[in-house]
Structure formats: C-alpha cells, structure tokens
Amino acid sequence: MTAWWRWYAALGVLGCVAYFVVPSITWAQSVFVLVGASAVAATVIGTRMHRPRNRAAWLTIALGTALWVVGDIAYEWIYITQGSVPYPSLADAVYLVAYPIYGLGLFLLVRHKWRSSERGHVANSAIVMVAFGLLTWVFAVQPTLGDGGSSWIAGLVDVAYPAMDIFLLGLLAHFVGSRQWRALSYRLLTAAVLLLVVTDTVSNFSLVAESASERWLFDVGWTTSYVLIGVAALHPSMRRITSPRIEPDAHLMASFTTPTVVVLTAATLTAPIVMFIEVIRDEPIAQWGWAVLLCAGALVILVILRITDLLRLLHTQTVQLRAVADTDHLTGLANVRALEHRIWRTSGATTLLTVDIDRFKEINDTFGRGLGDQVLVAVADRLRGVVDDSILLARLAGDEFALFGATESMDPTSLAREIQLQFATPLEVGNMTLLIEASVGMASGSPTTEGDDDTTPDRLVQRADLAVQAAKATQSRVASYDRSMDRDKSEQLIMLGELTTALESDQLKLHYQPQVELSSMTVVAVEALLRWHHPNGTVLSPSEFLPTAERTGLIRPLTSYVLTHALAQRSVWAHDGLDLQMAVNISTRNLFDDTLIDQVRCALATFDCPAGQLTLEVTETSAMTDPAGATEVLSILREMGVQVAIDDYGTGYSSLAYIERLPVQELKIDRTFVGGMAHNPAHAAIVRSTVELARTLGLSVIAEGVEDEVTLTALRELRCGRAQGYHLGRPTSPDRLPALVAELNARLKTATGERIP
C-alpha cells in the first residue's frame, strides 16, 4: 500500500505526456479533466488509507480541488457546445469559489484547531490581497474598461484571480519552514501550490494583456499541480503533518516581524496613494471611486483587527515583563525589586525577617548547583507555609530569603519560631534526605521618607542581614537587630583585613598541647592549636577569628598554614628523637573543600611524615552536616592512612550508632562532660557509656578537659584511651614542648606508681 504514491506519480507523468501527444485539443482537455479527477480521488483514498489526525483538512483540500475540476468540466462543456468560452463564464465562478475552500484546507492542515492568534496571519494575507487587488484594478483592469474594453464584471474577475493567488501565497509563506516542512507530503503540497500560483499568474497576465483564447496551453501547469496534490495525499508522511505546539502569544509576536510590518504598512497606504494618483490623472470618480472606497473600507477593517492584536500583544508583554521583573525565576517568589517597591509603598511601622540557609555553600560544593537549586525551591515551599497574604515572601539572593509586612499584622518572634519549626523536619530533595538549618534575623523600621538613610529599604535589609549574622552565633539561631551590630560588622571587616595581613607576616603561631596515653601514662601525641599574636599586644584564640575566616575564602590558606607548620615542626622533633603523633583541627569548609586531599598528601610527602602519625580532628556537627559527603572525603583520608577523630563529641545532634558509619578511628569527648565528671553523675554516666560503646565499636576515645587528678584517675579506671587538659599540660610553644613532655612523663610515672593493665 505504501507504494501507491509511486504508481500514481508515474501515471501522473504519463498523463502530462499524453496531454501533448493526443491529436486534438478536445482530447487534451479530457486528459486534463481526468488527471484532476484522479487527484480528488487520490486525496480521498489517501485520507482513508493513512488516517491522519486532521482528516478534515485533507477532505477540504479535496473539495477545493474537486471544484476546480468541476470548473474544468464546465469550461469544456461551454467550449464544446458554443465553440468558444465567454469571459467571464460559469467556470470562472466555480474556480473562484474553489480558491478560498482550498486555502481553508491548507490552513486546517497545520492548524486543525483554531486559535485567536491565528487570525493575525490570515489578516496579513487578506491585507496584502486587498492591496494587490486594488492596484490590479486601477492600473491593469480599469484602463481596459469602457471603449472596446472588457466589462466591469470581467475586470472584477481579473482582480479576483491574482488576489486569490496572493492569498494562497500569504498562507503558504507562513507555513513553510515550520516543523511540517520535514514531511515529504507537505513539500509536495507546497510545490503544487507554487506551481498553481505561477501558472495562474502567467495565464492572467496573458488574458488581461492580450485577451488570448488559447488558454489550454497553460493546462500543463495545472495538470502537474493536480498530480502533486494526489501524490502528497497518497504519501505515508501525510499522517505526520500535525499542528505545531506554539504558544499563542509567541505566534502573535511572529506575525509582527519587521518585514511583515513594512509590507503591511505599504499595503495599508495603497488606498490613499491610489486615490491621490487618480485625482492627479483627473479620472472620473464614477469609474473608479466605488472600487477604491470598497478596498479602502476592507483595509480599514483589517487594519483595525491588526491594531487590536498589536495592542493586546503589547499589553500581554507589559504584564509579563512586569511579572518577570518582580519575580525570582527559580523559586517563583518575589525578588529584591518587588521587595523594595513593597517597602516604599508600606506606611507605618514595618518588620523584615531575613532567613539564611546555614552551610548552603557546602551543599553546592558537595552535590552541585543542580541539587542546590532543588534545595532552594524546597525551602521556598516550606516558607510559603508560614506566611499569608499580608506578608511578602521574597528571595533576596543565593540562599537568603526575606519576609516583610506591617508590624501590626505580624508577630516577628512567633513567625521566627514557626520558621525554625518548618526546618525541624528534613527536606526530601531528589533521592536524598537533608537536614537543613536556617538562621533568622529581624529588623524593624518605618520606611516612609526616601531621604532618611535609616529608613530606606537598603538600610532595612542591611540591618536584617546583620541580625542574621548574629543569629548564626546563637543557639536559637534567631536574633533581632540592635545598633551594636553596626559596630560589630565594622570590627569584622577590620579583622578580615588584619587577618589577611597576619597570614602574610609572622603574627600566626602554633602552640602544642600534649595528649597522654592513659595505659602507659606517657605523652604520645600533641594537638596543634593556632594563636594570633595581634599587633596590639593581645593573643587571640581561634574562636575569635576563625568564624570570620570560615565566612570567606581565608579558611583554606589558614588550614594550609597550620597543616604545613605542624608537620614541619613534627619533623624537627622526630629528627631530635621525639616522635609524636600530630593532631590538626579542620573546619566544616575544609571537610568539603576539594583541595583538602591534595593538601594533606602534599604536606605528608614534603615532610616525610607517615600518614598514621597525622590525625585530622573534625567537629561532630560539621561531619553530620552532610554524612554522605563527609563519608566520601574521610574514606579517602583513611585509605591514605591518616587518622580521623570526631572532635567535641556529645555537643552535636548525632548518635554514636550514626557516627559508627563514618570512617573515623577516634572520638574526643567534649570538655563539658569530662570536666564535670567529679561532681555531676549524669556527665560521668555519659563519659562511661561513651567509652564502653566506643570500645565495642572498635573506636579509641580521647578525653579533653582533664583539669584535676580526680578526673584523670576516673578516666584510667574507665580504661579511656587518651586524655589531655591543663592538668596534663597547657598549650606551649614548639621550643618548650620537648622539656614539657620530658617533665610530664617523669611526673606521671612517679605519681601513678604501677601501671593499670
């Protein structure tokens, strides 16, 4: 069945050849009619055989083609019975009726469902058709009217033929190049229309210019057009011609391209230009005035339709642009611009809450921005659950959100508490479950005077941002703005600059605190502790400057500095006969830094340090921020032989069973529990259970914060692995550490006597 179109194409070629071979014009016209009738039959058969989605389009094309064939039959009948065919004749009336029906079929072929925006392309074609018809009437038909010329009815027919061809070309030009063009059936149908229009144009020119009666010479063009229609309908690709999925507004925009506007403008000016020319030529109004007025009226109606479409398009685009300008493209929330407008429009006391996702950069760095975007969308959905219509929810930038409203319509404290409750439940993002923490900052103001710097939107947002930074350092993760935060922010900026200078100079020093193995009561390791000897004479501990470094890129060079200098110092001690294990602290940012592994590997190789002699201490909270990502990094370190310890154990939110899944070897019990063992039974129980469970899981335990002999004895009785604290030695400079170790070893041996097994 799929080869039918080839057979029909071959027969069509034979029909075109037979048109020239038959001995008489009558027989040639009969062949012409038979080919046309076969095209109608082929279109109906192809529609039934291939069952395309838009069958009505193909049947409409078949109807238009059938009317042309009927016109051919009428033309032949008049010629046979009367010996000549008057112009115009009944055949011309049938032909002209066929054109719009055929054009409707073309339109339905690729637009089987009418859209309001489609009328724009039809109107464009109609405007050009009317303008072309007016020019043809005035400059080609009108001069032949009157003395010895054609009748006015013949003139109308002469105008109608080229106008209809222009209409078909307008529709065709709109559809060519669309996705239907990939189907061979559509290309064949396009060729048929083009051949029809070209043949009509040459034929009409001959009839108007010379009134030639040998019209049959042009039948070969129409015959070939019939064959192409039939082949297109029988080809299997005709079933794939479907309506393209184009948005109505995009379709409407496409009908207002620059070339289209230029052509439509020229067509619209046709009527007044023609009237001006005719007045100059002093032509009688009775001859041409009614035609010009008729065309001008049609143009006015069509132009009004196009102007209506244009105004609708401009209105739609204005609304869309305003929405885009005020909307965050990722979350669909309001953006900074919309927030600023809302603040300016709100009178009276207002409140702004800023919500910042803690450690969001680590999510991006670990899982990629794709998952990070999904987290932001999930966070936006959570925040939607705590606001109503009186509160504007906006995304400021990155992982920062804002909630704004009049103070009288919202309770900031309750709203902040509700926000924290929303994040108590883990987020389901993709195939992962993430526990997200957020900090909330609150600021109030009355932004009613544009000239008041303290009440502008920028100032209100800045105050809320300062409150967020303060909230990150509190247990509740919620803080309200007060004026002291302005000073704190300035001090942080100053500290950041000074810390950069400290890295480049000799202000940063490492001190070392001994770690004692309780079974042998000897010093086996030290922990490197960073100190900043500030130019003002004070010595700053890491807790005073590391938070600032962690919020910037300075944490990476700081960690590199500590790692390099600590292993270099260990190498010096080892050369002098003091072989100690070195413990170095790393932050959350370091744990998810893709350069950490290379930094460690390079430092070990540079200072010829066995990997087992380096311990990296990671806080419990940072390890549990992203257990999957932490496991990957820590596993690589463990494969290298580096020891990994969980620092400050017991202060985070994980269980020992969950810690067991991480590739760590040591737990450091936080000083809060160790220091309170002697006088707090609960703390003593926590330390005892931790030591016992860790030993069962094959983990060693280090107790930090040993401040007295009672605590030390209790830890030895629990068979804790190691201990450190002021009772065992304070952090000291590298040059004094060997003497401190020798002194401490001697004192511990003397004080304990026999060793506990």
Side-chain angles (χ1 to χ4, degrees):
M1 294 177 63
T2 57
W4 280 24
W5 68 275
R6 294 188 176 91
W7 285 107
Y8 181 80
L11 292 175
V13 172
L14 290 177
C16 293
V17 173
Y19 182 85
F20 290 98
V21 174
V22 293
S24 66
I25 297 177
T26 303
W27 282 101
Q29 292 295 328
S30 299
V31 172
F32 175 62
V33 171
L34 287 175
V35 172
S38 70
V40 177
T43 305
V44 175
I45 292 173
T47 303
R48 292 177 60 86
M49 182 170 58
H50 298 303
R51 300 182 181 275
R53 290 181 56 187
N54 40 17
R55 297 177 60 187
W58 286 101
L59 293 178
T60 304
I61 291 175
L63 177 60
T65 308
L67 287 176
W68 277 327
V69 174
V70 171
D72 295 334
I73 295 173
Y75 186 90
E76 287 301 310
W77 176 258
I78 296 173
Y79 181 80
I80 293 174
T81 57
Q82 300 182 13
S84 63
V85 181
Y87 184 79
S89 66
L90 177 63
D92 294 302
V94 178
Y95 286 145
L96 291 176
V97 172
Y99 276 94
I101 295 177
Y102 189 83
L104 177 62
L106 289 177
F107 182 83
L108 294 178
L109 187 63
V110 290
R111 296 293 187 275
H112 65 279
K113 291 184 179 179
W114 177 265
R115 301 183 182 94
S116 60
S117 60
E118 298 291 351
R119 72 182 184 187
H121 298 286
V122 178
N124 290 349
S125 299
I127 290 173
V128 175
M129 181 186 71
V130 172
F132 184 82
L134 179 59
L135 292 175
T136 304
W137 170 268
V138 173
F139 297 106
V141 176
Q142 180 185 326
T144 66
L145 299 177
D147 298 337
S150 303
S151 66
W152 67 272
I153 298 179
L156 286 179
V157 174
D158 289 338
V159 171
Y161 274 117
M164 289 298 178
D165 288 332
I166 290 296
F167 183 72
L168 290 181
L169 281 178
L171 291 176
L172 193 65
H174 168 53
F175 298 140
V176 171
S178 63
R179 72 176 186 178
Q180 282 75 17
W181 190 248
R182 294 192 295 256
L184 177 61
S185 176
Y186 191 76
R187 294 198 293 268
L188 291 171
L189 200 58
T190 301
V193 175
L194 290 176
L195 185 59
L196 171 69
V197 171
V198 171
T199 305
D200 280 353
T201 302
V202 177
S203 175
N204 291 332
F205 177 81
S206 175
L207 289 174
V208 172
E210 302 176 4
S211 299
S213 61
E214 297 180 345
R215 182 179 173 183
W216 62 273
L217 292 175
F218 303 102
D219 288 348
V220 65
W222 291 314
T223 304
T224 307
S225 178
Y226 282 146
V227 173
L228 291 174
I229 293 173
V231 175
L234 290 173
H235 194 273
S237 65
M238 60 93 74
R239 69 167 65 96
R240 299 202 304 266
I241 303 178
T242 58
S243 176
R245 297 177 182 177
I246 302 177
E247 294 296 328
D249 291 333
H251 204 310
L252 184 60
M253 188 181 303
S255 66
F256 281 108
T257 60
T258 300
T260 302
V261 172
V262 172
V263 172
L264 293 181
T265 302
T268 305
L269 295 176
T270 300
I273 291 175
V274 166
M275 295 178 67
F276 178 75
I277 293 175
E278 292 291 76
V279 169
I280 293 178
R281 290 167 53 180
D282 197 22
E283 294 287 341
I285 297 179
Q287 289 187 3
W288 55 266
W290 63 272
V292 175
L293 291 177
L294 182 64
C295 292
L299 286 174
V300 168
I301 294 174
L302 292 172
V303 169
I304 289 176
L305 289 176
R306 301 306 288 132
I307 291 176
T308 302
D309 288 339
L310 179 60
L311 292 177
R312 184 172 69 86
L313 173 62
L314 293 176
H315 173 72
T316 301
Q317 288 185 328
T318 300
V319 173
Q320 291 176 346
L321 289 175
R322 184 180 296 114
V324 169
D326 291 340
T327 304
D328 175 60
H329 73 282
L330 177 63
T331 62
L333 303 179
N335 58 14
V336 177
R337 181 177 181 273
L339 176 64
E340 291 177 348
H341 288 174
R342 180 72 170 267
I343 293 175
W344 284 122
R345 291 194 303 266
T346 304
S347 59
T350 58
T351 298
L352 177 68
L353 275 70
T354 300
V355 181
D356 186 84
I357 309 304
D358 295 337
R359 299 185 295 276
F360 179 73
K361 187 177 185 303
E362 297 166 11
I363 297 177
N364 269 344
D365 293 343
T366 304
F367 303 107
R369 294 189 178 276
L371 185 84
D373 288 345
Q374 294 181 48
V375 170
L376 293 176
V377 173
V379 168
D381 291 339
R382 288 282 177 93
L383 293 177
R384 285 188 179 96
V386 302
V387 300
D388 53 28
D389 294 339
S390 64
I391 300 175
L392 176 67
L393 176 60
R395 181 188 176 203
L396 295 180
D399 61 334
E400 195 171 14
F401 297 83
L403 295 84
F404 173 79
T407 303
E408 61 184 11
S409 63
M410 61 188 296
D411 182 353
T413 303
S414 298
L415 189 58
R417 189 181 306 113
E418 181 65 24
I419 292 172
Q420 293 293 354
L421 288 176
Q422 286 291 327
F423 291 102
T425 305
L427 292 176
E428 299 291 338
V429 182
N431 58 352
M432 301 186 61
T433 301
L434 297 177
L435 183 60
I436 304 297
E437 293 183 334
S439 300
V440 183
M442 299 179 290
S444 299
S446 301
T448 56
T449 306
E450 188 172 353
D452 187 354
D453 291 338
D454 289 336
T455 56
T456 60
D458 288 343
R459 185 57 176 156
L460 191 61
V461 172
Q462 182 187 16
R463 288 176 173 178
D465 283 342
L466 291 174
V468 163
Q469 297 303 321
K472 291 180 180 295
T474 64
Q475 185 176 2
S476 64
R477 298 284 181 177
V478 177
S480 296
Y481 167 81
D482 61 60
R483 294 190 178 276
S484 64
M485 293 179 183
D486 292 324
R487 182 178 64 255
D488 294 341
K489 186 66 174 180
S490 300
E491 292 176 353
Q492 288 181 16
L493 293 175
I494 294 173
M495 177 178 288
L496 183 60
E498 293 178 341
L499 187 55
T500 303
T501 303
L503 270 170
E504 299 171 352
S505 59
D506 197 27
Q507 299 178 21
L508 298 177
K509 304 290 185 182
L510 285 180
H511 289 202
Y512 302 90
Q513 186 174 26
Q515 292 180 349
V516 176
E517 186 180 69
L518 297 183
S519 62
S520 63
M521 294 302 287
T522 56
V523 178
V524 295
V526 292
E527 179 182 3
L529 301 172
L530 185 62
R531 299 291 184 265
W532 181 5
H533 294 258
H534 200 275
N536 62 11
T538 61
V539 178
L540 303 179
S541 64
S543 61
E544 297 178 79
F545 59 86
L546 280 186
T548 300
E550 287 186 337
R551 288 192 291 268
T552 66
L554 279 179
I555 192 62
R556 178 183 293 179
L558 271 177
T559 302
S560 178
Y561 175 89
V562 173
L563 188 62
T564 302
H565 284 71
L567 292 186
Q569 185 58 57
R570 182 203 168 278
S571 178
V572 172
W573 290 331
H575 183 268
D576 295 338
L578 183 61
D579 193 7
L580 299 174
Q581 189 173 17
M582 179 65 67
V584 174
N585 292 277
I586 60 175
S587 72
T588 304
R589 292 284 295 273
N590 295 133
L591 185 59
F592 301 102
D593 186 350
D594 54 6
T595 66
L596 175 65
I597 303 299
D598 290 336
Q599 284 185 4
V600 173
R601 185 179 289 114
C602 180
L604 291 174
T606 300
F607 301 105
D608 194 22
C609 175
Q613 290 296 91
L614 173 63
T615 299
L616 296 181
E617 296 185 358
V618 184
T619 61
E620 178 187 1
T621 302
S622 65
M624 299 309 299
T625 300
D626 171 23
T631 299
E632 181 180 358
V633 176
L634 298 179
S635 296
I636 297 175
L637 291 172
R638 183 171 184 175
E639 291 174 1
M640 293 169 54
V642 175
Q643 302 294 301
V644 179
I646 295 297
D647 196 10
D648 300 334
Y649 179 77
T651 60
Y653 46 80
S654 63
S655 65
L656 185 61
Y658 200 52
I659 285 292
E660 186 268 337
R661 302 179 189 177
L662 296 174
V664 300
Q665 295 82 31
E666 299 177 356
L667 294 182
K668 289 189 71 173
I669 305 177
D670 188 69
R671 67 180 65 252
T672 303
F673 304 106
V674 176
M677 287 180 61
H679 53 80
N680 190 324
H683 287 184
I686 291 174
V687 174
R688 181 172 58 255
S689 61
T690 301
V691 172
E692 292 175 354
L693 288 174
R695 185 184 303 114
T696 302
L697 295 173
L699 303 177
S700 61
V701 178
I702 304 176
E704 59 179 347
V706 178
E707 308 296 335
D708 51 50
E709 186 66 29
V710 175
T711 303
L712 179 63
T713 302
L715 290 172
R716 294 191 69 210
E717 292 175 351
L718 292 175
R719 302 182 68 179
C720 180
R722 278 186 269 169
Q724 70 181 87
Y726 285 175
H727 180 67
L728 299 174
R730 292 177 176 271
T732 187
S733 60
D735 57 325
R736 296 184 57 189
L737 184 84
L740 175 62
V741 170
E743 177 187 347
L744 182 57
N745 284 337
R747 178 167 62 86
L748 291 174
K749 292 291 185 180
T750 303
T752 57
E754 62 178 4
R755 292 161 51 182
I756 296 179

